[in-house]
Amino acid sequence: MSRASLEKQPGEVAAMFDAVARRYDLTNSVLSGWRDGSWRRRVREAAELRPGDWVLDLAAGTGVSTLELSRSGARAVACDFSLGMLRAGRARRDRAQLPCVAGDALRLPFADAVFDAATISFGLRNVADVDLALAELARVVRPGGRLVVCEFSRPTWAPFRLVYLGYLMRALPWVARRVSSSPDAYVYLAESIRAWPDQPQLARKIVAAGWAEVTWHNLTGGIVALHRATKPAG
């Protein structure tokens, strides 16, 4: 499938996530072999949050990632464009007193330089303009602030990469049909993972959007990569 065939209008993507919201967290846990919790912890650690910091959790979904960030003592703000996702996580966020904002990654509803850090986990792949989203994140983070992108990537060992791609295209939709509230969406998600840039390519995009000191760390053999960057002080 070509990249062009994967492109969806923002309203279509929002509707897709609205449809999967009810069982989204359960489906993610099953499909990741229950590694999603450890990935969220690694995002929190990479963001180097301190008590009192303001951190934006973009593409927060139901807010499980926001809750993890708040365990650092930082003031975490959830932002997502899927109202269905935000509704599904309302009870969790209310218990933890986590603020949430409905917002578009390409036009973030925040002033310049208001956050000490920003994270986006498994959401950058689904925005209509990756470069603009990265630039918007740079706009709302203060100079010297941090960015952490957690996203599916390319396994580094070739034999494992072949097995993984086979899982994506065959096993993932099969599992999703038994767990997800909208299994057809996971066919699109599997294709979008396969078409996503590898670790060095994404690093170059982050630099081009105005970030510096970009590094990445592979998790689970490169199935997931954490990219970390800093907003230049000058």
Side-chain angles (χ1 to χ4, degrees):
M1 183 178 289
S2 68
R3 183 66 187 171
S5 67
L6 289 171
E7 293 177 356
K8 291 178 177 287
Q9 295 299 314
E12 293 178 288
V13 177
M16 181 184 71
F17 280 100
D18 289 348
V20 302
R22 183 171 58 86
R23 304 187 74 182
Y24 183 73
D25 296 324
L26 172 63
T27 305
N28 283 350
S29 293
V30 172
L31 293 175
S32 70
W34 282 269
R35 293 181 179 271
D36 54 323
S38 67
W39 294 340
R40 286 191 292 271
R41 287 192 294 274
R42 296 296 293 271
V43 170
R44 172 173 54 78
E45 293 164 359
E48 297 183 354
L49 299 169
R50 296 176 292 272
D53 279 355
W54 281 98
V55 56
L56 171 63
D57 184 24
L58 183 58
T62 65
V64 289
S65 53
T66 319
L67 180 61
E68 180 64 44
L69 293 173
S70 73
R71 292 192 172 111
S72 66
R75 293 171 286 191
V77 178
C79 182
D80 202 286
F81 73 153
S82 166
L83 296 179
M85 285 286 193
L86 294 175
R87 292 188 190 104
R90 179 180 296 161
R92 175 190 296 114
R93 293 190 312 273
D94 287 350
R95 286 193 300 270
Q97 297 183 316
L98 296 175
C100 82
V101 177
D104 183 351
L106 306 186
R107 294 180 297 274
L108 290 174
F110 305 106
D112 296 354
V114 293
F115 291 101
D116 299 289
T119 70
I120 180 167
S121 298
F122 307 109
L124 189 60
R125 189 179 77 257
N126 298 308
V127 302
D129 188 328
V130 172
D131 300 325
L132 179 54
L134 289 169
E136 270 291 275
L137 285 166
R139 180 183 66 79
V140 303
V141 171
R142 64 167 176 80
R146 289 89 60 201
L147 169 70
V148 179
V149 177
C150 180
E151 190 53 87
F152 291 108
S153 197
R154 292 288 189 278
T156 53
W157 188 44
F160 178 48
R161 185 161 57 245
L162 289 174
V163 171
Y164 172 64
L165 290 174
Y167 167 77
L168 276 180
M169 304 318 300
R170 292 188 293 273
L172 187 150
W174 184 88
V175 173
R177 281 194 294 273
R178 285 150 179 80
V179 181
S180 172
S181 54
S182 182
D184 289 345
Y186 284 86
V187 175
Y188 162 80
L189 292 173
E191 289 284 3
S192 71
I193 292 169
R194 189 169 70 166
W196 184 245
D198 64 13
Q199 293 89 325
Q201 289 175 314
L202 180 55
R204 288 192 288 272
K205 282 183 172 290
I206 294 171
V207 170
W211 296 91
E213 301 175 16
V214 180
T215 60
W216 70 84
H217 182 77
N218 292 316
L219 304 178
T220 318
I223 287 177
V224 169
L226 286 184
H227 283 70
R228 189 186 186 281
T230 303
K231 182 174 177 178

